[in-house]
């Protein structure tokens, strides 16, 4: 749309308002960009949540300094693979200790048993 303002000359209206009036796609590819941007944010958020969850599980399991440090490195360098490996190894270790297999750690010394 062209507007004349007295002696100022002629100004042309431009921008998104023209696109909206003409019902045009003025930003081709914006939908794809927005989708990929939101997908990236979601993926980063999930990776952080999974890494934090695995980190908390490692701290609570008290695996030892060296083993814990290696698991931290694995979890934070490859969040999905590292956390998945941690949870699988802990699940196997817990299942082995339930079956009576040695999990590599001796039982606590302060265990008391009561015979009823």
């Amino acid at each position: 749309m062209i507007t004349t303002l007295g002696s100022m000359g002629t100004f042309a209206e431009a921008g998104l308002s023209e696109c909206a009036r003409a019902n045009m796609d003025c930003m081709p590819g914006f939908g794809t960009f927005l989708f990929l941007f939101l997908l990236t944010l979601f993926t980063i958020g999930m990776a952080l949540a999974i890494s934090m969850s695995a980190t908390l599980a490692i701290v609570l399991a008290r695996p030892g300094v060296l083993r814990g440090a290696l698991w931290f490195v694995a979890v934070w360098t490859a969040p999905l693979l590292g956390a998945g490996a941690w949870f699988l190894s802990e699940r196997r270790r817990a299942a082995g200790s339930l079956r009576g297999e040695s999990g590599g750690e001796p039982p606590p010394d302060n265990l008391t048993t009561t015979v009823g």
Side-chain angles (χ1 to χ4, degrees):
M1 170 180 270
I2 297 178
T3 308
T4 304
L5 295 174
S7 64
M8 295 282 301
T10 306
F11 294 97
E13 182 182 61
L16 293 178
S17 60
E18 277 294 312
C19 294
R21 282 193 201 126
N23 201 15
M24 296 172 41
D25 185 15
C26 293
M27 297 177 71
F30 181 72
T32 304
F33 164 76
L34 184 62
F35 174 75
L36 291 176
F37 179 72
L38 292 176
L39 182 65
T40 301
L41 285 180
F42 176 77
T43 303
I44 291 171
M46 290 302 294
L48 283 174
I50 289 169
S51 293
M52 288 177 166
S53 174
T55 300
L56 181 63
I58 292 168
V59 168
L60 293 176
R62 298 182 189 169
V65 176
L66 180 60
R67 186 170 177 248
L70 291 174
W71 277 115
F72 281 131
V73 169
V75 163
W76 285 100
T77 53
L80 296 176
L81 293 175
W86 163 258
F87 288 121
L88 283 176
S89 73
E90 282 303 297
R91 188 174 184 185
R92 287 182 184 150
R93 191 177 67 81
S97 66
L98 290 176
R99 287 191 301 253
E101 298 172 4
S102 173
E105 297 177 13
D109 292 333
N110 60 356
L111 273 181
T112 59
T113 57
T114 307
V115 179

